[in-house]
Amino acid sequence: MDAKIVKLQEQEKRYLELADELLKEENMTNPRLYTKLSKEQASLKGCFDAYQRYKDLTKGIEEAQLMLKDEDEEIREMAELELSEKTEELEMLMVKIEELLLPKDPEDDNNCMVEIRGAIGGDEANIFAGDLYRMYCYYAESLGYKTEVMEESPSEAGGYALISFMVKGDGAYGHFKYESGGHRVQRVPKTESQGRIQTSVATVYVLPEIEEDDMEIPDSDLVIETHRASGAGGQHINKTDSAVRIVHIPTGITVNCQDGRSQIANRETALRIVRARVFEEMKRRKEEKEGAARRSKIGTGERSEKIRTYNYPQNRVTDHRIGLSISQLDRIIDGKLDDIVEALRKNEEKEKLLNENI
């Protein structure tokens, strides 16, 4: 039997098992477990539906082949037409099945955290960081996602030296994960009196949100400190120790949160960020040990990697990982990122098809 069909049968079996699990009272009364089971079943639905259609088509083709032997010429003509239509649909379905069976990033369905920093170019880099933040907010809104600021450091000239926010919604990480890396802007800054074009860079770092059940960090691995929050330049000093700094001892990862309304809110936010960063670091170390690339060939996701250029004078955006140029910068900066994200996703699928024996 075709290996693809065997995999589909396994997916169907698991999908039906999950349907039974979701009907059990002990699971229905456990919101966290019920959500986890529901997400797993939803991730299998594409394969389940495709396999049901595969079975319908193969049965229809077998029936049409039998009808070709009928003595009635009209029935044979109908059978030939049906056989042609179903065979063509089956060929298209098998291409789709091949894509559905590609290994998926298990974090694709998670919420995600996006961190943007002004990097090279002073005030202009910070202003551009603000432009990217708005672009991502518009994009998230177009997908029906919610955004929540976790940490911010506004720049006096506009934009942000740092802005970190959560994107909430099923599949958020799958849509935003391609954005990690250096984003370069070429334009005339508002402060430039001679009309000279300046090149500046802002970095983007995207992490999947990791649930506590999926990444448990022992308390003994954490140093948690509180201190007084303060605004840029020491303004608006808080009189209480509401800011929270957490250090993960084994990796040295440090997170400082002070923008929440209370120490409790800042602690929770800091823990979520630490959990995501530690998860990513453990994943990186594991893949490095196994000799695997950290990312697919579309990019490493490192901050130093220049992944995209936004050329304002030519109204053009170029994604350097796949050599894609689109002369619609004005649309893209308004959050119309679908064409770029879809092209990156397709390229990733292509690379997986070349490397996977399905």
Side-chain angles (χ1 to χ4, degrees):
M1 185 181 291
D2 191 318
K4 291 190 282 290
I5 305 309
V6 172
K7 287 189 177 183
L8 285 175
Q9 290 175 339
E10 293 171 354
Q11 303 276 35
E12 179 190 48
K13 181 182 178 183
R14 180 57 181 160
Y15 183 90
L16 296 174
E17 286 175 351
L18 288 165
D20 291 336
E21 289 292 318
L22 287 167
L23 291 174
K24 293 180 179 179
E25 187 176 349
E26 62 266 32
N27 294 334
M28 295 176 71
T29 54
N30 185 334
R32 182 168 286 182
L33 178 58
Y34 189 83
T35 299
K36 186 176 181 180
L37 294 173
S38 297
K39 283 186 175 181
E40 184 183 352
Q41 190 191 45
S43 72
L44 297 174
K45 191 175 189 308
C47 285
F48 177 81
D49 290 344
Y51 186 44
Q52 306 317 301
R53 187 55 187 157
Y54 170 83
K55 290 190 286 187
D56 289 343
L57 287 171
T58 51
K59 182 180 179 182
I61 288 171
E62 289 173 2
E63 292 173 348
Q65 288 172 334
L66 288 173
M67 289 167 62
L68 286 174
K69 301 175 183 178
D70 199 282
E71 295 179 358
D72 190 315
E73 184 179 351
E74 188 174 337
I75 290 178
R76 291 200 303 273
E77 288 177 356
M78 288 175 57
E80 285 178 1
L81 179 61
E82 185 171 345
L83 183 61
S84 175
E85 290 176 348
K86 290 190 181 300
T87 300
E88 184 179 351
E89 185 180 347
L90 182 60
E91 289 174 356
M92 290 168 39
L93 180 64
M94 292 308 293
V95 173
K96 180 181 178 182
I97 285 172
E98 202 168 53
E99 294 176 355
L100 287 169
L101 288 175
L102 287 171
K104 294 180 176 63
D105 187 330
E107 286 81 51
D108 272 0
D109 292 333
N110 294 18
N111 297 335
C112 69
M113 302 174 191
V114 182
E115 177 191 287
I116 309 171
R117 291 178 182 271
I120 302 170
D123 289 341
E124 175 63 10
N126 294 338
I127 291 170
F128 181 51
D131 293 338
L132 290 176
Y133 169 60
R134 284 186 290 276
M135 178 181 76
Y136 292 138
C137 286
Y138 290 144
Y139 181 51
E141 185 180 354
S142 73
L143 295 168
Y145 297 153
K146 303 293 184 184
T147 57
E148 173 191 323
V149 173
M150 303 176 73
E151 187 180 2
E152 62 179 323
S153 179
S155 168
E156 291 183 6
Y160 301 92
L162 163 69
I163 178 81
S164 178
F165 61 100
M166 177 79 73
V167 183
K168 297 181 177 181
D170 289 342
Y173 181 65
H175 280 94
F176 279 81
K177 65 180 181 180
Y178 304 110
E179 297 304 302
S180 283
H183 293 244
R184 181 171 59 184
V185 62
Q186 295 174 329
R187 64 185 177 188
V188 178
K190 294 177 181 177
T191 55
E192 172 56 55
S193 59
Q194 303 297 319
R196 290 173 295 195
I197 295 173
Q198 178 178 322
T199 298
S200 303
V201 177
T203 60
V204 178
Y205 191 33
V206 183
L207 290 169
E209 182 185 25
I210 304 302
E211 296 292 339
E212 192 172 351
D213 289 348
D214 298 326
M215 181 69 189
E216 187 174 345
I217 301 177
D219 291 341
S220 58
D221 284 354
L222 301 174
V223 174
I224 302 177
E225 303 170 337
T226 59
H227 60 96
R228 293 185 182 182
S230 63
Q235 301 299 311
H236 313 297
I237 296 176
N238 197 315
K239 294 182 180 180
T240 61
D241 291 342
S242 61
V244 175
R245 182 186 296 108
I246 299 180
V247 180
H248 181 251
I249 301 169
T251 62
I253 289 170
T254 302
V255 173
N256 185 70
C257 286
Q258 64 175 30
D259 295 308
R261 295 180 179 178
S262 66
Q263 184 184 118
I264 293 175
N266 284 324
R267 180 189 174 97
E268 176 60 28
T269 297
L271 282 171
R272 287 157 74 186
I273 297 174
V274 165
R275 199 156 48 236
R277 290 185 178 173
V278 170
F279 179 87
E280 186 76 357
E281 177 61 16
M282 293 298 103
K283 181 179 177 182
R284 185 193 67 77
R285 290 184 183 185
K286 179 175 180 290
E287 291 175 349
E288 193 175 75
K289 187 177 180 180
E290 294 171 352
R294 186 182 178 196
R295 294 277 187 252
S296 69
K297 291 183 181 179
I298 60 167
T300 64
E302 298 292 348
R303 296 171 194 258
S304 59
E305 180 190 16
K306 304 298 185 295
I307 64 167
R308 196 175 297 153
T309 295
Y310 303 72
N311 187 309
Y312 275 75
Q314 298 178 20
N315 193 38
R316 186 181 68 236
V317 174
T318 300
D319 194 288
H320 305 293
R321 294 165 292 182
I322 54 175
L324 174 69
S325 287
I326 300 177
S327 297
Q328 296 179 332
L329 185 152
D330 49 343
R331 287 184 67 255
I332 289 165
I333 208 69
D334 280 341
K336 307 296 193 300
L337 282 168
D338 305 83
D339 290 345
I340 294 178
V341 172
E342 182 63 15
L344 289 163
R345 186 184 68 79
K346 286 290 186 184
N347 188 78
E348 185 179 43
E349 286 183 355
K350 180 182 175 182
E351 294 292 346
K352 285 180 178 178
L353 282 169
L354 291 172
N355 293 306
E356 291 293 330
N357 183 23
I358 296 178

